[in-house]
Amino acid sequence: MQAVILVGGEGTRLRPLTSGTPKPIVTFVDRPFMGFMLQWLASHGVDDVIMSCGFLATKVKAVLGDGSDYGVRLRFVEEPEPRGTAGALKYAEDLLEDRFLMLNGDVLTDVDVTAQLAQHERTGATGTLGLVPVTDPTQYGLVLTKEDGEVTGFLEKPGRDKLEGIPEYLISAGIYVLERSVLDRIEPDRNVSIETVVWPQLVGDGLFGYAARGRYWLDIGTPDRYLEGTADILLGNVETAVSDRLDARGRALAPDTVAPGAIVVGAVIAEEGVRIEAGARIVGPTVLGRGVHVGAGAVVERSVVLDGSRIAGGAFVADAILSPGVRIGERTVVQGQAVLGEGVVVGADCKLDHGIKVFPGTTLPDGAVRF
Ligand code: GDD
Ligand code: MG
């Protein structure tokens, strides 16, 4: 089975994690995010994947290689300029088979694509959209269907005024089964959106929805959802290969990472070379990447601290994301979904809160910021 994955967006909402690293290869728990999608697809028989790239494509290629680490053959297509979600598909036309999957490149999920393919086959659809229920559909593509799954309406990012009278909000999960004939509806060499141009055109003409209720699904494209997805992987709320690494408490602590007198609570991953000093406290779900150092008496709760970062004694880090190579000074507080870019240095006695984003390479002297 073939799949096209769209990864051409700039990932602006995940900055500064995506300032120098494209979203598909931002580290998620212990691997590039795309690793989760490729392993999930491979488990449903996908063996041929085409990555439709734009932004920083060379880096994506360098990290994901030929896909063999993830059980698929991986090829890359680079648009000359952003073509939009349908334009990007059209640009890959020469490589596509008669039927293929198409995916948004930022979904963490264990949706049963095998069942979605079976429904597509059964209904003879031109396109079958995977659908998941949400409470607030305004940031997604809202899909209206009949009992039998036929789509009667597609509203991309609907305003609240459009929601009245709809009993359940099923949104497009960014997981599509398509027949090659869909390509005939897309004008070549232009920027075309599949959500606003192609789906509305296909309504009443072979577009179906497959409701994937009861499965895990998350668009990881914002800092709060990045943390939510990380927690769900550690807690086993979504089926992923990471679960194989974790013990019954959701833990994987490399040898000699926890000093006597340090406390570890809940689901925590501490990779090779981590050092948690005496009196420090780590509360899960938390990930400490390779070589991370947590000083004496420091606290890290529900956070992601990536490779090589150092948290000094007495510092407090909660609900935060620290990119690789960050340094946090003594007694500094980092909380409230603060996101620190690669190599950021924060001196002693600062406070970073309220979703603050600090861009890569920034240095904040002692006591300089209380936000
Ligand atoms: N190659 C390429 N070229 N890829 C693109 C382009 C482009 O011009 N524009 C966006 N993409 C990729 C992004 O990298 C992402 O993986 C995917 O297309 C969707 O773009 P997002 O920017 O993440 O869209 P969204 O999250 O606001 O909305 C989409 O996803 C929702 C589910 O998460 C829509 O498809 C909604 O209908 C859907 O509900
Ligand atoms: Mg998205």
Side-chain angles (χ1 to χ4, degrees), residues 13-37:
R13 289 166 293 185
L14 254 192
R15 283 180 191 154
L17 294 180
T18 47
S19 298
T21 307
K23 190 157 63 172
I25 54 166
V26 164
T27 301
F28 214 75
V29 182
D30 61 353
R31 61 199 75 196
F33 173 70
M34 191 47 59
F36 289 95
M37 291 196 68

Side-chain angles (χ1 to χ4, degrees), residues 227-351:
L227 284 172
E228 184 183 340
T230 300
D232 286 326
I233 291 167
L234 293 191
L235 298 173
N237 294 336
V238 50
E239 268 175 44
T240 74
V242 172
S243 305
D244 304 341
R245 294 187 56 194
L246 306 177
D247 68 15
R249 285 186 293 188
R251 252 187 222 181
L253 305 177
D256 304 321
T257 50
V258 186
I263 300 167
V264 176
V265 184
V268 173
I269 291 185
E271 304 287 13
E272 294 287 317
V274 165
R275 185 66 180 169
I276 305 165
E277 300 293 358
R281 185 160 53 97
I282 313 295
V283 180
T286 284
V287 174
L288 304 177
R290 285 170 188 274
V292 164
H293 187 261
V294 182
V299 175
V300 182
E301 299 182 350
R302 300 174 304 277
S303 292
V304 175
V305 183
L306 294 176
D307 295 6
S309 288
R310 299 182 69 85
I311 297 169
F316 179 83
V317 175
D319 307 299
I321 308 169
L322 275 52
S323 296
V326 166
R327 281 166 187 264
I328 303 295
E330 290 180 352
R331 297 172 302 278
T332 279
V333 174
V334 182
Q335 63 184 18
Q337 302 193 332
V339 188
L340 277 52
E342 200 155 335
V344 164
V345 178
V346 185
D349 301 303
C350 289
K351 183 169 173 239

Side-chain angles (χ1 to χ4, degrees), residues 31-55:
R31 61 199 75 196
F33 173 70
M34 191 47 59
F36 289 95
M37 291 196 68
L38 296 176
Q39 284 164 332
W40 160 64
L41 291 170
S43 77
H44 289 282
V46 170
D47 53 3
D48 181 21
V49 176
I50 295 157
M51 289 258 148
S52 165
C53 304
F55 186 64

Side-chain angles (χ1 to χ4, degrees), residues 13 23 104 106-107 219-221 225:
R13 289 166 293 185
K23 190 157 63 172
N104 287 346
D106 56 4
V107 292
D219 175 332
I220 54 103
R225 294 202 227 115

Side-chain angles (χ1 to χ4, degrees), residues 91-176:
Y91 193 74
E93 183 164 23
D94 292 348
L95 300 178
L96 299 178
E97 290 170 358
D98 289 343
R99 177 177 297 162
F100 53 86
L101 292 164
M102 176 175 171
L103 302 118
N104 287 346
D106 56 4
V107 292
L108 174 67
T109 184
D110 54 18
V111 162
D112 186 353
V113 182
T114 304
Q116 184 175 343
L117 276 159
Q119 183 194 302
H120 180 86
E121 179 92 48
R122 202 164 59 236
T123 57
T126 305
T128 302
L129 311 177
L131 308 178
V132 288
V134 295
T135 48
D136 179 3
T138 55
Q139 295 310 308
Y140 302 104
L142 178 63
V143 182
L144 309 175
T145 63
K146 295 199 275 196
E147 281 284 283
D148 68 353
E150 193 182 347
V151 174
T152 55
F154 189 98
L155 301 167
E156 182 66 16
K157 316 249 155 59
R160 301 228 170 257
D161 54 314
K162 301 272 167 47
L163 304 182
E164 250 171 74
I166 300 173
E168 182 190 24
Y169 303 133
L170 286 172
I171 57 134
S172 166
I175 307 168
Y176 324 125

